[in-house]
């Protein structure tokens, strides 16, 4: 036998119920975003590597170790996108989406790629549905973005705790960084190897380290919320007030920092205890567009991890009943069955036409195997009489009706 080729490590097939769950999660989120008047943006899967290095940050795990990068045939450095925000910011600038002077609300959906160690809920190709608002500094937008994340969780019946924090701005963050650095330096020897390395380049990331020793040190570190300038403090306060007004439950986590460098002011994560992972995350990035060569543009957004939400969705909406149309006889019966099956589909009824040949018993076995709820046999007698047996495979009941009557009965079932 020839050698079988397998999927690449960290990449997966989504088949059957998994694929349906994928669609359910994405469609549920998309409905909510559409209702909030977000517009879809379809982005390329690859970008120049420097876009991610400049936006996510050179000293982040994503850029340092997790990107799928390669050179194209012209020797240009290209990367499979590890996230969507950088691409949206690039598209916003390149297409001058700021030209009409209003803010823009965009959403996207698709594959992201990170070369991480695969485990449950962590893959090398995963999917995000994300939303970005570009061109407003209004804290109403922060509250609404978090509310949308909450609405997605509620619609999917997924339990997660919303944690929020503020990372300050260009004015107040350097002072905090200084205080944090000083504190961490005093504990340098107790930090893990990675964090010792991070100390000068990215001290905030140490607060997010999963190593127990580092977490203990992080617990007593200075809190950014004690260092916020007046403007950031007021902004943060407003966001919290609006969330309360909307009835969104959240907890404050002064050590929430996020793994990407572009954030300022509000950051948030929706953490699932069941999964032990963050399922939706985001925040403000008021400097990113400008840093990528665009006009000063305060912005914010979030991305939901589709696979992680799929792991927490317990129940899928039922599919409408399935009808199997069984041709029984010769060519004429096959042709009539073909037409009748299409007539049912025209009416929105989920219909399968049996391609199986052979005894009627085999046809009913096939009906059970594919999970049909009803069968209709189209044979010589049925065509002659104009009456067709509609059989309910659950109750075993059979009624004979003219075809258009069957359509009516099934339409009420398909709701
Ligand atoms: P992120 O926290 O890197 O943020 O990713 C967002 C979500 O993507 C995570 O909370 C998680 O659910 C999912 N995710 C990340 N990595 C993996 C993986 N390897 N396997 C499965 N799921 C994963 C961002 O990407 C930002 N762009 C979010 C954002 C948008 N901030 C502002 N706007």
């Amino acid at each position: 036998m020839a050698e079988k080729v397998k999927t690449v490590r960290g990449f997966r097939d989504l088949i059957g119920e998994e694929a349906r769950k994928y669609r359910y999660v994405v469609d549920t989120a998309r409905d909510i975003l559409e209702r909030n008047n977000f517009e879809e943006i379809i982005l390329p899967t690859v970008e120049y590597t420097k876009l991610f290095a400049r936006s996510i940050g050179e000293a982040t795990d994503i850029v340092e170790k997790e990107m799928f990068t390669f050179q194209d045939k012209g020797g240009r450095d290209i990367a499979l996108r590890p996230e969507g925000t950088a691409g949206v910011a690039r598209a916003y600038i390149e297409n001058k989406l700021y030209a009409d002077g209003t803010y823009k609300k965009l959403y996207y959906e698709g594959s992201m790629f990170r070369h991480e160690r695969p485990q449950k809920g962590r893959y090398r190709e995963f999917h995000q549905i994300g939303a970005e608002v570009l061109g407003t500094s209004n804290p109403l937008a922060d509250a609404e973005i978090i509310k949308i994340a909450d609405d997605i969780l509620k619609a999917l019946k997924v339990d997660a705790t919303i944690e929020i924090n503020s990372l300050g701005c260009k004015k107040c963050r350097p002072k905090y960084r200084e205080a944090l650095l000083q504190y961490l330096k005093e504990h340098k020897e107790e930090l893990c190897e990675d964090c010792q390395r991070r100390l000068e380049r990215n001290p905030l990331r140490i607060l997010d380290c999963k190593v127990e020793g580092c977490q203990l040190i992080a617990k007593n570190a200075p809190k950014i919320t004690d260092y916020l300038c007046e403007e950031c403090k007021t902004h943060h306060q407003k966001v919290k007030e609006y969330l309360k007004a909307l009835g969104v439950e959240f907890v404050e986590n002064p050590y929430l920092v996020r793994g990407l460098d572009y954030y300022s002011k509000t950051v948030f994560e929706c953490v699932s205890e069941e999964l032990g992972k963050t399922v939706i995350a985001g925040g403000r990035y008021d400097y990113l567009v400008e840093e990528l060569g665009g006009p000063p543009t305060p912005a914010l957004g979030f991305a939901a991890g589709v696979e992680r939400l799929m792991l927490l969705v317990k129940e899928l909406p039922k599919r409408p009943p399935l009808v199997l149309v069984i041709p029984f006889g010769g060519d004429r019966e096959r042709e009539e069955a073909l037409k009748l099956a299409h007539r049912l589909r025209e009416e929105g009824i989920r219909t399968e036409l049996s391609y199986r040949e052979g005894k009627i018993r085999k046809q009913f076995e096939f009906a059970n195997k594919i999970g049909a709820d009803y069968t209709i046999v189209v044979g010589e007698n049925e065509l002659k009489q104009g009456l067709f047996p509609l059989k309910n495979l659950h109750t075993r009941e059979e009624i004979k009706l003219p075809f258009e009557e069957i359509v009516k009965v099934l339409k009420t079932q398909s709701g």
Side-chain angles (χ1 to χ4, degrees):
M1 258 219 273
E3 185 207 350
K4 291 187 185 117
V5 182
K6 298 212 170 119
T7 49
V8 175
R9 182 168 145 81
F11 289 67
R12 306 191 308 149
D13 301 308
L14 299 179
I15 299 171
E17 177 144 316
E18 283 239 277
R20 288 211 288 130
K21 234 177 209 180
Y22 173 89
R23 236 348 110 207
Y24 174 59
V25 168
V26 170
D27 289 352
T28 303
R30 182 195 285 267
D31 271 1
I32 292 169
L33 288 162
E34 287 276 342
R35 248 183 281 150
N36 279 273
N37 199 33
F38 278 74
E39 260 213 82
E40 182 158 17
I41 177 166
I42 299 172
L43 296 161
T45 315
V46 296
E47 301 272 3
Y48 290 118
T49 307
K50 64 181 173 217
L51 173 70
F52 301 116
R54 279 171 57 190
S55 48
I56 300 168
E58 298 275 5
T60 56
D61 285 352
I62 298 179
V63 171
E64 264 187 355
K65 2 182 221 218
E66 294 169 3
M67 274 206 293
F68 282 86
T69 52
F70 56 97
Q71 288 200 329
D72 71 3
K73 293 210 161 48
R76 289 169 286 254
D77 290 316
I78 304 262
L80 296 181
R81 59 179 181 196
E83 57 109 50
T85 310
V88 171
R90 196 250 330 117
Y92 178 82
I93 300 164
E94 195 169 343
N95 298 287
K96 296 196 175 57
L97 298 185
Y98 47 82
D100 65 5
T102 67
Y103 58 87
K104 289 283 167 296
K105 290 163 61 172
L106 305 168
Y107 77 89
Y108 52 90
E109 169 233 327
S111 292
M112 306 292 159
F113 304 86
R114 296 184 194 176
H115 202 281
E116 297 189 82
R117 214 148 52 87
Q119 51 168 253
K120 187 177 172 189
R122 195 202 281 156
Y123 313 101
R124 290 185 176 170
E125 181 185 25
F126 60 98
H127 299 79
Q128 285 184 345
I129 176 152
E132 315 288 349
V133 185
L134 301 110
T136 178
S137 55
N138 195 328
L140 282 173
D142 305 48
E144 287 217 296
I145 273 289
I146 298 172
K147 167 73 173 148
I148 291 170
D150 190 46
D151 283 349
I152 293 173
L153 294 170
K154 296 251 158 63
L156 295 171
K157 301 196 178 80
V158 166
D159 253 347
T161 305
I162 302 179
E163 299 184 1
I164 71 165
N165 192 20
S166 171
L167 294 183
C169 66
K170 275 191 174 153
K171 270 187 283 168
C172 49
R173 188 155 4 146
K175 279 190 212 120
Y176 172 67
R177 193 181 185 277
E178 211 31 65
L180 179 66
L181 195 57
Q182 195 162 1
Y183 167 82
L184 291 172
K185 272 184 181 161
E186 287 163 21
H187 298 272
K188 186 171 176 184
E189 300 310 313
E190 300 148 68
L191 294 172
C192 74
E193 243 172 65
D194 265 353
C195 284
Q196 293 199 6
R197 207 167 39 82
R198 280 182 190 132
L199 201 55
E200 294 290 341
R201 296 183 70 191
N202 204 348
L204 262 70
R205 285 293 298 153
I206 297 175
L207 300 177
D208 199 34
C209 181
K210 300 287 174 275
V211 177
E212 211 184 326
C214 300
Q215 285 188 346
L216 278 175
I217 294 164
K219 252 192 190 152
N220 295 315
K223 295 190 178 75
I224 181 129
T225 34
D226 293 334
Y227 288 77
L228 296 179
C229 63
E230 277 312 309
E231 190 199 323
C232 287
K233 223 187 269 174
T234 312
H235 186 95
H236 197 44
Q237 198 55 38
K238 283 271 164 235
V239 175
K240 289 188 286 183
E241 275 167 28
Y242 295 147
L243 286 174
K244 282 185 191 144
L246 284 167
V248 175
E249 282 177 45
F250 62 89
V251 296
E252 291 185 61
N253 175 359
Y255 298 121
L256 179 66
V257 288
R258 309 277 301 116
L260 306 91
D261 281 355
Y262 49 59
Y263 291 107
S264 55
K265 289 192 177 148
T266 311
V267 286
F268 75 98
E269 290 194 359
C270 309
V271 185
S272 152
E273 202 179 318
E274 182 184 334
L275 201 61
K277 286 186 170 62
T278 299
V279 289
I280 306 182
R284 267 200 175 273
Y285 47 93
D286 286 349
Y287 309 113
L288 179 62
V289 173
E290 194 177 1
E291 277 164 11
L292 292 175
T297 307
L300 70 161
F302 72 78
V306 178
E307 282 78 0
R308 291 190 185 174
L309 290 169
M310 283 166 61
L311 284 165
L312 297 166
V313 166
K314 303 279 183 282
E315 224 179 303
L316 276 176
K318 277 212 176 71
R319 295 182 85 186
L322 174 64
V323 181
L324 178 69
V325 176
I326 302 171
F328 191 66
D331 260 348
R332 174 155 180 264
E333 287 75 25
R334 275 194 285 275
E335 202 175 301
E336 288 304 317
L338 173 72
K339 289 195 288 188
L340 293 177
H342 276 274
R343 173 85 193 95
L344 292 172
R345 291 168 186 148
E346 265 173 14
E347 294 295 336
I349 297 161
R350 186 159 68 104
T351 307
E352 178 76 37
L353 171 66
S354 176
Y355 303 154
R356 284 286 167 97
E357 299 282 342
K359 295 202 174 69
I360 201 79
R361 190 172 55 78
K362 289 267 170 214
Q363 296 281 10
F364 279 97
E365 271 172 27
F366 175 61
N368 283 326
K369 262 191 199 150
I370 64 167
D373 300 282
Y374 296 95
T375 53
I376 302 170
V377 174
V378 181
E380 197 187 342
N381 280 342
E382 284 79 8
L383 288 171
K384 218 185 279 164
Q385 293 170 3
L387 288 174
F388 299 85
L390 173 70
K391 183 164 183 174
N392 180 325
L393 295 181
H394 304 289
T395 62
R396 309 254 131 217
E397 265 175 317
E398 191 179 283
I399 40 170
K400 286 199 169 151
L401 292 170
F403 197 76
E404 286 309 309
E405 291 300 313
I406 289 185
V407 171
K408 275 190 207 150
V409 172
L410 290 174
K411 259 182 96 167
T412 58
Q413 301 287 312
S414 290

